[in-house]
Amino acid sequence: MMDNIHVNLDTKDILEKVIAEKMVMDNSTGVFIIKDCILVQSFTGKNYTYRAVNYVTGDQKYLFYKRQELIKQDYDCVIDKIKALSFYDMKQASDGSEMIDLIFRDIFPKYGFVVREDQVELSKHIYENMKDLKISLSDIAVGLGKTHAYLIAAIVHGTFARKDRFYKQTPIVITTSSIELQRSIIKEYIPEISKMLIENGIIPSPITCVLRKGKENYVCENRLKDYFQSLDPKRKRSSEYIGLQNLIQSKNIDLADAEDISGYDKRKINVKSSQCMKCSKFKTCAFQQFMKQARKSTYHFQICNHNYYLADILKRKDGRRSLLPDYQTVIIDEAHKLMDAANQMYGTTINEHEINNLMKKISPANVKKKSQNDLKNLSSEVMALNQMLFDVLADQIPNDAFSEDTEKFPTIITSRIRTLLRKMVFNIHEISQKMTYTERQFQIDIKAVLDGLNVFLLETNIYWMENPKAKGQRMLASIPEVISKELGEDLWTDKRSMILTSGTLAVDGDFSYIKHQLGMSVLSDWKINELTKLSPYHFKENCMLYIAKKMPFPNVDDEAYIQMMGEEISSLITASNGHALVLFTSYKPLRLIFQKIKKEHPNRQIIAMNRGRNTAIDEFKESKNAILFATGSMWEGVNIPGDVLSHLIIVKLPFPIPDPISDYEKSLYPDINEYLKSVLIPKMLIKLRQGVGRLIRSETDTGVISILDARAGDTGRYHQDVLHALPECRRAENIEDIQAFLNEKKAKSYFE
């Protein structure tokens, strides 16, 4: 930087542009770029000549010649000459709002982008909240381009913030729920935006970013080398052996980029916290070098997932070293998933298998000394207590509580369980005192287990059990009762701007539910700005809504209900000639109705998405007119554009399945109606909007939404709530209307 002007010495791309556009001679070289001008040098055989070229407008002027090449000490004088030119800095805006207009209205259209007024308004809204250190809640429908909106707002904010004399370089943190979005931001959005803004003189050099992930996602060079040497090439699958060999040679440390390596192998070679500090290669380790670089505040963006971001918050809260460098602005995309991440990060789990495994590692193989014998006896006793604890927990659960859709089983910490926990804590503490130098590598793991066990002796938590029938894999879990309050105190008390955005953050324009969930009651109203933007897609023209009449009340155990639902789905599938996604809220009705439809439509491709089956979505995408029966993850985050998915059939309104967390939440309300209005209905409508969002994914998509829940019908309790939550569509009175609509919208090949 010279006299507060950013000079970019990386002239390669811009030089290629001005040569390609015949602005300068082919043998020219670039000296530096300043704003929208490049200083170009040519050698005549005797002298070096210099000219300034505005690479946006094409204007240029010869400046001077020299017998010797220009040196850096001369740059200030040349910069003054360029700044005095009439064509210098022609495209600079006077403020951030004007610059956002310039980018969206003048620059982006050159590259084929369409100007969307709502997108420009959203970007300005985000920029103003960044500038004023406020909190933005924005509910932005699919297709509006919110990622471009917040990235441009952030870049413009950084550009103008630098002009402040108190400016301090800090990155902007972007946290998302999905890996796909993180990758898109890093590999597509940021490089593309950088290129466009540099070519148009808005920024002098590329935008920089770094992806932050937990240690377990990276390769430990020592563990990789030791593990590879321990393998027998004849007994190891050849593709996996070669994959590990290639990983050693490539020196790549990101496991996400490693090919042909199994999940088992990854667990054998990833970075382990307990082994880092005592490692002889700590100072030269590639992972530690990466972390040292990644922690620098010089990156424009630090990108991570919600769990990593909350882990950083918790480390700062406990006075430990932070994961991220200091920041003043956070963009939380897919913000509707932040509470799920909080339940994980603020929660505690103890795993039967992990405790047993740790005790086995600590237990000495050869007992020669009394201390070794003590250690062996103590670790054996912990393993026995561990099994007793989980047996007692599992015995608490009544048989009628088991169903394939229940994941969290309510648990009471009885006096018997408390006694077992205390004995385990005492013995593990004794183990930590008796460990020799060899076992001290497990000190961090021991502390983690002790901290976890102690949480279950508290009386202010919600407890539950997972996998109660999977002996060895059983898990006890807990979260604080006051998690929203705790989260609110941790997230909102610092003076920084927070940009929360999602396609499903509000219910009919009302943000009350998410504000309550995220503990935002600690904030004054003036601190929060809200914005809702509807989809730019033409739903009224391109989408039809059918709500079935005369359906029975949903009851998966009622054979008549399953029979009628099967008949209705069968007719709907026929009407749309397949091309359908049938969304369920649980596996039992999916399985029962799938069997019926399979028999009735033997010549159709019908795919069921089961637990652990990852190929179903790809099969459906590659099909012509298949039917996909799905639940779980298919309610959100899946993109299937085009005619393959033209009919979305929602079997039941997606009310959450009761669990210990919702049971506690319910106890905080005076009656069930208040709880229904404040929590259950908003939760259901947000999930419903996420499901509906799978259908129309572009301006040209057309299709039908069918809802088969009697409670959404004309006389149903939630009819108006459902209509207000969804985009305004054409209404179908019967299945014949669906056929007529699709005949109007689709080509003949669609029905073949």
Side-chain angles (χ1 to χ4, degrees), residues 226-420:
D226 292 347
Y227 178 61
F228 186 72
Q229 286 174 350
S230 73
L231 295 174
D232 180 349
K234 292 174 185 174
R235 300 183 67 183
K236 183 72 174 167
R237 185 180 291 175
S238 63
S239 61
E240 291 177 0
Y241 189 83
I242 293 165
L244 288 162
Q245 201 170 38
N246 291 340
L247 189 59
I248 292 170
Q249 290 165 355
S250 72
K251 299 196 179 298
N252 169 41
I253 63 160
D254 192 335
L255 283 168
D257 299 330
E259 293 180 2
D260 298 320
I261 294 176
S262 68
Y264 174 81
D265 286 346
K266 286 179 181 180
R267 289 190 292 277
K268 288 287 185 183
I269 63 174
N270 65 356
V271 174
K272 289 276 186 189
S273 300
S274 56
Q275 296 179 12
C276 281
M277 297 309 291
K278 66 179 193 319
C279 180
S280 59
K281 295 185 178 175
F282 183 81
K283 289 185 179 176
T284 57
C285 163
F287 169 71
Q288 293 300 335
Q289 294 299 316
F290 164 75
M291 287 297 289
K292 188 178 176 183
Q293 182 65 28
R295 283 194 183 102
K296 290 183 177 177
S297 59
T298 48
Y299 288 101
H300 294 106
F301 293 105
Q302 294 262 342
I303 297 167
C304 61
N305 67 16
H306 295 340
N307 290 50
Y308 196 89
Y309 169 63
L310 291 173
D312 177 74
I313 295 269
L314 290 168
K315 279 182 178 286
R316 290 171 190 266
K317 178 183 176 179
D318 294 343
R320 292 178 288 158
R321 187 184 184 187
S322 64
L323 295 169
L324 298 164
D326 288 342
Y327 51 87
Q328 276 201 305
T329 300
V330 185
I331 298 166
I332 304 175
D333 199 348
E334 301 174 314
H336 65 281
K337 299 290 280 183
L338 186 61
M339 195 63 200
D340 290 345
N343 282 336
Q344 292 173 34
M345 297 309 296
Y346 283 73
T348 304
T349 58
I350 54 173
N351 187 298
E352 182 181 15
H353 168 71
E354 285 176 8
I355 292 173
N356 263 358
N357 216 24
L358 180 60
M359 291 303 111
K360 282 176 185 173
K361 286 176 183 174
I362 288 170
S363 183
N366 299 310
V367 179
K368 291 180 181 176
K369 298 178 184 175
K370 182 180 182 300
S371 59
Q372 289 174 322
N373 192 48
D374 290 346
L375 207 55
K376 192 171 185 69
N377 290 338
L378 282 165
S379 53
S380 296
E381 191 172 342
V382 169
M383 284 191 272
L385 287 166
N386 186 39
Q387 186 177 330
M388 284 168 67
L389 170 70
F390 280 96
D391 284 347
V392 173
L393 287 165
D395 289 343
Q396 268 191 9
I397 302 166
N399 285 331
D400 60 2
F402 290 96
S403 85
E404 59 188 319
D405 296 306
T406 304
E407 293 178 351
K408 297 181 174 74
F409 295 85
T411 297
I412 299 165
I413 305 296
T414 61
S415 57
R416 168 84 170 127
I417 291 169
R418 205 175 292 277
T419 301
L420 289 168

Side-chain angles (χ1 to χ4, degrees), residues 574-594:
T574 302
S576 61
N577 190 35
H579 301 274
L581 166 61
V582 188
L583 267 183
F584 292 82
T585 55
S586 60
Y587 281 98
K588 185 176 178 180
L590 184 155
R591 198 177 59 249
L592 293 172
I593 293 170
F594 174 77

Side-chain angles (χ1 to χ4, degrees), residues 149-254:
Y150 65 63
L151 286 173
I152 293 302
I155 292 163
V156 169
H157 173 60
T159 301
F160 280 90
R162 283 189 198 97
K163 296 178 181 180
D164 190 305
R165 65 195 182 98
F166 299 112
Y167 170 73
K168 183 188 171 189
Q169 167 84 40
T170 57
I172 286 176
V173 173
I174 299 177
T175 165
T176 82
S177 170
S178 67
I179 295 166
E180 291 77 17
L181 181 54
Q182 291 163 28
R183 284 182 181 151
S184 295
I185 289 169
I186 289 168
K187 295 183 183 294
E188 296 167 29
Y189 286 95
I190 287 178
E192 182 185 59
I193 289 170
S194 270
K195 183 174 181 291
M196 291 187 288
L197 297 188
I198 289 170
E199 284 181 2
N200 289 274
I202 299 295
I203 55 173
S205 53
I207 303 296
T208 56
C209 59
V210 62
L211 178 61
R212 307 298 305 277
K213 297 189 282 188
K215 288 182 178 182
E216 66 280 1
N217 294 286
Y218 296 98
V219 177
C220 168
E221 292 167 299
N222 265 7
R223 295 188 78 213
L224 171 59
K225 187 180 170 187
D226 292 347
Y227 178 61
F228 186 72
Q229 286 174 350
S230 73
L231 295 174
D232 180 349
K234 292 174 185 174
R235 300 183 67 183
K236 183 72 174 167
R237 185 180 291 175
S238 63
S239 61
E240 291 177 0
Y241 189 83
I242 293 165
L244 288 162
Q245 201 170 38
N246 291 340
L247 189 59
I248 292 170
Q249 290 165 355
S250 72
K251 299 196 179 298
N252 169 41
I253 63 160
D254 192 335

Side-chain angles (χ1 to χ4, degrees), residues 518-531:
L518 299 179
M520 296 178 86
S521 58
V522 295
L523 293 165
S524 305
D525 287 346
W526 62 267
K527 182 78 176 168
I528 307 170
N529 288 314
E530 300 170 1
L531 186 70

